[in-house]
Amino acid sequence: MTDRPRDSLAALETARLDWQRDDGDLETPHSLAFGDVYFSRQDGRAETEHVFVEGNDLPRRFREWCEPRPFVIGETGFGTGLNVLCAWACFTRHASPDARLHLVSTEKYPLARADLARALAAWPELAEAAARLVDQWPEPVAGVHRLWLDERVTLDLHFGDSAECLAALDGRVDAWFLDGFAPSKNPQMWQPALFEAMSRKSRDGATFATFTCAGVVKRGLKAAGFAWRKVPGFGRKREMLAGEIATAADEDARRTTPWFTPPAPRPARHVAVIGAGLAGASVAHALARRGLRVTLLDREAPGAGASGNAQGALYIKLAVAPNAHSRVYLAGLLHSRRWLETLDPEGALWQQSGVLQLANDSREAERQARFLAQHALPGSVVEGIDATTLAERSGLPPQAFSAARALDYPGAGWVRPQALCQRLAASPGVAFQRGEVMRLTPAGEGWRLTLADGTDLVADQVVIATAQLANRFDQTAELPLQAIRGQVSQVSLPEGMPVPRRVICAGGYVPPPQEGVLTFGASFAPHDEGDEMREADHTTNLAELARTLPGFVEALRTAGAELDPARMDGRAAVRAASPDKLPYAGPVPDAAAWRHDYAALTKDAKRIPDTPGTHHPGLWISAAHGSRGLASAPLCAELIASRICDEPLPLPIDLADQLHPGRRLIRDLIRLTPR
């Protein structure tokens, strides 16, 4: 990686390999950068099982595991994924059917997908598991990438420097695979910062195992609070190290932001989710997948509100200047694509058509050029294209466009939001109930939900996901939300017309047509909660389409398409946004307690109390997804489900904190500080 600002969006350098064959004709990948092999030429799988699986006593621990949370393994150096596949196989053999496994692995130089598949082909007995891994293999982009290996096993790949990734990990580990190229080959990894990060992220009783007995490793582990011992090594290696945490280092990630300290885990056998749009339905699905019983409530039906359009664009617009917003939304886009591929591999609910973001004027063209210069993302994520390539990829002739340049997001596309919500609401473990929740009241260790018809429902925990109505409850009343009306327009296409193959975005968006109908829009009306159809909005949408695709609109008119706004069809709905345009995803803060506990910030923003933030116990929110909900709601659902189930998060700490619902409360307190 080149040196770039902290919030830059960057591709990682993929591993450079050559391939060596042993006497049995087994291909072994060899790192050209580090001059070392990825696994033993004798028997890589046997080495992994001896060093890491047996070294951490995993067969016994898996057999005895009965916690509601998953068993968590942390690994330094994912490499070919062999360690992960062996741990997964051991878990499948020994763990009870109700147990879950969560793997967290760091990698600074990820293999290319083809190299990964080639390396794992050495073990035909792992072929099915390897295929699940290869199929979901993420782009080489720095950050956290969540993969679902099966219904009980989750893998979080943290791409980047191991010490930095573990320092940013929001989660705790039960067993460590301290792997990576040998300390003599890769001294940059085996540093005190790595061992300190491992110590901070270890649960009580966490173990570790490593193939090496190098002095730098023994000294680093001891200094970080681990007790180590030498045990028999594998093959020609006479000894290796194993041990456990003795004195964990203090977690210091939130010393400057104590208000974001997460609430302690609580029982969560039954969770009520209020709102069955994309935000709520994706939370319900995420929780049910973890074995929880979920009641999903909505005053109408799944996908009846702003998530009820027949088509929606899965896309993002990234900023030129490095910032946390872009990191969140890029992570969300990549997450949503893997999530949809796993949920709907047949493509009934979505299409990875790609998205073209047009540069319709010189200002946008200059902005896109600066973006490409600032962020080194792979072309498989986003690339700049010229007019010729734009026409080729869009499926429209060059004269359809006013733009001469565009950004192409090949992995983005479009989704059927209403159908997606209906699929999620029908997930095993989710019970949909029609009803409008009017009031939330603490009830013992849980919550009482009072419905408009006077009936009550009791749940252990509650997730609020009701868009612009999410702050109607006493507990959320101080969360600022802005209602935004949006209307899409539709036109039936004459036969034989060239149509867009990709989603095309500029001031609005137009996806590929569905069943002969072209959808385009959407209008943008802040502080407007009307959901009736308006001719004026059709006029606005048509004018924006003409600015985006002037030649295409002219061809529509020539072919006799109905473009009279008074006769057009469409749909209107109301979205919600936060003041900083990021979603709210996390525990609901107790606003009165925060104002009291952090009152010192109003006098001096540097006087930070060490008091952890007080939250309404077992109350969560996923809201303010605006017009980018397809790229944010599934990731936020995983974040909330991970918090509820005491798992590592699918985002680094700083980005999870950026989404915390209490961020505005702190900002408002600091704004009162005298200047």
Side-chain angles (χ1 to χ4, degrees), residues 14-149:
T14 53
R16 294 181 296 113
L17 309 177
D18 65 4
W19 297 84
Q20 303 175 353
R21 290 184 180 273
D22 63 13
D23 295 338
D25 209 34
L26 173 68
E27 278 195 321
T28 304
H30 179 268
S31 169
L32 293 173
F34 295 99
D36 203 356
V37 293
Y38 277 85
F39 46 75
S40 169
R41 293 191 183 94
Q42 292 177 274
D43 188 334
R45 181 174 182 182
E47 178 186 43
T48 284
E49 291 178 342
H50 176 85
V51 174
F52 299 112
V53 175
E54 298 293 341
N56 280 288
D57 195 19
L58 293 186
R60 178 192 63 81
R61 296 170 77 184
F62 286 160
R63 281 195 301 270
E64 297 176 359
W65 188 254
C66 57
E67 298 285 336
R69 68 172 180 85
F71 187 96
V72 179
I73 294 174
E75 178 185 41
T76 60
F78 182 81
T80 65
L82 179 59
N83 295 346
V84 161
L85 296 188
C86 288
W88 178 12
C90 177
F91 178 81
T92 301
R93 286 195 303 272
H94 297 290
S96 73
D98 295 330
R100 292 185 296 121
L101 176 64
H102 197 116
L103 301 130
V104 174
S105 185
T106 66
E107 181 55 64
K108 190 174 184 179
Y109 301 98
L111 270 65
R113 185 190 297 261
D115 286 336
L116 181 70
R118 183 177 178 183
L120 293 175
W123 295 281
E125 67 274 21
L126 297 175
E128 184 177 351
R132 295 293 298 271
L133 173 62
V134 172
D135 287 347
Q136 295 182 65
W137 190 242
E139 304 293 343
V141 175
V144 184
H145 306 270
R146 175 157 290 184
L147 283 62
W148 299 271
L149 299 181

Side-chain angles (χ1 to χ4, degrees), residues 343-355:
L343 178 73
D344 178 37
E346 67 278 6
L349 302 173
W350 72 296
Q351 292 294 315
Q352 187 179 311
S353 62
V355 169

Side-chain angles (χ1 to χ4, degrees), residues 315-586:
Y315 81 109
I316 55 178
K317 187 171 183 178
L318 301 172
V320 171
N323 62 34
H325 284 63
S326 289
R327 289 173 61 209
V328 167
Y329 277 109
L330 178 60
L333 174 65
L334 299 176
H335 178 95
S336 288
R337 193 181 73 186
R338 281 192 307 278
W339 179 72
L340 286 164
E341 287 172 343
T342 304
L343 178 73
D344 178 37
E346 67 278 6
L349 302 173
W350 72 296
Q351 292 294 315
Q352 187 179 311
S353 62
V355 169
L356 297 167
Q357 184 181 319
L358 304 185
N360 269 351
D361 54 40
S362 59
R363 181 177 179 181
E364 177 60 17
E366 190 270 338
R367 192 199 75 84
Q368 291 187 7
R370 288 189 292 119
F371 169 82
L372 292 169
Q374 179 70 58
H375 303 286
L377 289 168
S380 54
V381 174
V382 60
E383 65 173 330
I385 58 174
D386 59 17
T388 301
T389 308
L390 172 59
E392 291 172 353
R393 295 186 182 179
S394 69
L396 297 176
Q399 59 268 29
F401 298 92
S402 60
R405 301 200 62 81
L407 294 178
D408 185 14
Y409 291 81
W414 61 271
V415 180
R416 296 182 171 93
Q418 185 177 55
L420 176 58
C421 291
Q422 292 168 349
R423 168 80 71 87
L424 297 171
S427 300
V430 177
F432 175 75
Q433 178 176 333
R434 185 172 181 180
E436 184 174 8
V437 180
M438 306 302 295
R439 187 168 64 255
L440 293 170
T441 311
E445 293 296 310
W447 290 90
R448 184 178 305 279
L449 295 76
T450 302
L451 278 60
D453 63 4
T455 61
D456 287 340
L457 173 72
V458 175
D460 298 319
Q461 302 200 40
V462 174
V463 183
I464 300 168
T466 48
Q468 83 278 11
L469 299 178
N471 59 3
R472 71 182 298 179
F473 302 104
D474 292 343
Q475 296 83 0
T476 57
E478 297 193 40
L479 288 180
L481 283 167
Q482 181 185 61
I484 302 173
R485 169 192 159 83
Q487 181 174 309
V488 296
S489 303
Q490 294 179 328
V491 62
S492 295
L493 292 172
E495 291 187 10
M497 278 198 63
V499 295
R501 291 196 297 259
R502 272 166 154 75
V503 178
I504 298 173
C505 299
Y509 74 96
V510 52
Q514 183 180 4
E515 298 176 355
V517 175
L518 189 74
T519 299
F520 57 96
S523 62
F524 183 87
H527 309 293
D528 187 337
E529 298 189 33
D531 61 0
E532 73 285 358
M533 295 285 289
R534 297 176 187 172
E535 180 181 336
D537 282 14
H538 285 318
T539 301
T540 298
N541 289 341
L542 190 58
E544 184 58 48
L545 182 64
R547 280 191 291 271
T548 302
L549 298 170
F552 179 68
V553 172
E554 184 58 34
L556 283 173
R557 294 188 191 280
T558 302
E562 178 57 78
L563 298 181
D564 180 356
R567 302 174 65 180
M568 294 177 86
D569 200 0
R571 187 176 187 276
V574 181
R575 305 183 295 268
S578 67
D580 63 11
K581 302 303 184 284
L582 276 176
Y584 297 128

Side-chain angles (χ1 to χ4, degrees), residues 631-657:
S632 62
L635 178 58
C636 289
E638 279 294 301
L639 187 153
I640 290 171
S642 296
R643 279 273 189 245
I644 290 175
C645 296
D646 197 16
E647 303 170 358
L649 296 195
L651 283 171
I653 284 177
D654 66 315
L655 294 189
D657 289 351

Side-chain angles (χ1 to χ4, degrees), residues 175-199:
W176 291 99
F177 293 177
L178 185 49
D179 201 1
F181 296 116
S184 60
K185 306 282 188 178
N186 184 20
Q188 296 88 350
M189 190 192 86
W190 303 85
Q191 294 291 324
L194 174 68
F195 305 118
E196 291 166 7
M198 289 172 56
S199 179

